[in-house]
Amino acid sequence: MTNAPKAPWSGERYWSQRFLLNDSPWELGKPSGVVLEAVSLLSARDVSLAGSSVLVPGCGTGSDALALARAGAHVLAVDWSPVAVERLGEKLGAAGPLAGTLEVRRCDVLTADLGVFDIVVEHTFLCAIDPSQMPQYAKAVSAACRPGGHLVGNLFLLGESDLSGAPWRSLTKDGVGPPFGSSERTIRELLGGTFEFLELKPARSPDPDRRPGIEWAAVLRRLELG
Ligand SMILES: C[S@@+](CC[C@H](N)C(=O)[O-])C[C@H]1O[C@@H](n2cnc3c(N)ncnc32)[C@H](O)[C@@H]1O
């Protein structure tokens, strides 16, 4: 055990404050193109969103979650920030009928028992948590994904030379705090015990405002054991 103080971004207040200050550059105002790309890679493997149960951990104000519910998925969107959850609730109220369903819940993704889903959708959640919590992330998404189910989404990955031997690095201008980029090797080590990697490659449709080459489309299948 360590007595090191918790990083501010390991607490809900840090994130709520950023939402309140509109200091939320991760919000694209639309679903992530890379998430949609990963979903289409999944549907090319005959796995459809429609009718699937989907978890969106660290959903923020939920552009991805809403798009998935519009596409017919039964979505649980989870975030610990009451500001994010309230804003997503407002969007949901204004959204009109959905082909699927969307439930929004406020809790800590890394400790809550959220149930088991067909698909877990990742977008700027892993890069937002403190790197010391990456094993907890792996445990949480592995528990939330049924055997044979999928983890899909957008991962921020750097080349090994960019990391100078470290497993991750802050991508901010001053080199402190989220988002954190890691590497393909780190991700494979983190999730390879419980997932098979079906696709992990630089995105074809990255966001033009993000650092080029950093967004990777991922499709992983949950192993039966582990
Ligand atoms: C960078 S934002 C991404 C939000 C959303 N995925 C998006 O792309 O718009 C990270 C989100 O994760 C949430 N978060 C961070 N750690 C969390 C935790 N342990 N449990 C639940 N939510 C968490 C924050 O409140 C924040 O909304």
Side-chain angles (χ1 to χ4, degrees), residues 9 12 15-16 19 26-28 56-64 78-81 84 107-110 123-125 127-129 133 210:
W9 46 88
E12 167 274 305
W15 292 101
S16 288
F19 282 112
W26 58 83
E27 293 201 278
L28 303 173
V56 183
C59 61
T61 64
S63 296
D64 297 318
V78 181
D79 204 289
W80 63 7
S81 161
C107 64
D108 183 340
V109 170
L110 300 183
H123 180 235
T124 60
F125 177 54
C127 71
I129 62 172
Q133 294 182 302
R210 287 191 176 145

Side-chain angles (χ1 to χ4, degrees), residues 137-153:
Y137 171 92
K139 202 171 160 194
V141 294
S142 300
C145 197
R146 69 164 168 81
H150 295 84
L151 169 62
V152 301

Side-chain angles (χ1 to χ4, degrees), residues 194-215:
T194 44
F195 288 94
E196 174 190 4
F197 284 74
L198 303 179
E199 312 265 5
L200 185 59
K201 53 191 181 188
R204 272 187 289 117
S205 47
D207 186 82
D209 293 336
R210 287 191 176 145
R211 181 180 150 153
I214 196 175
E215 294 184 274

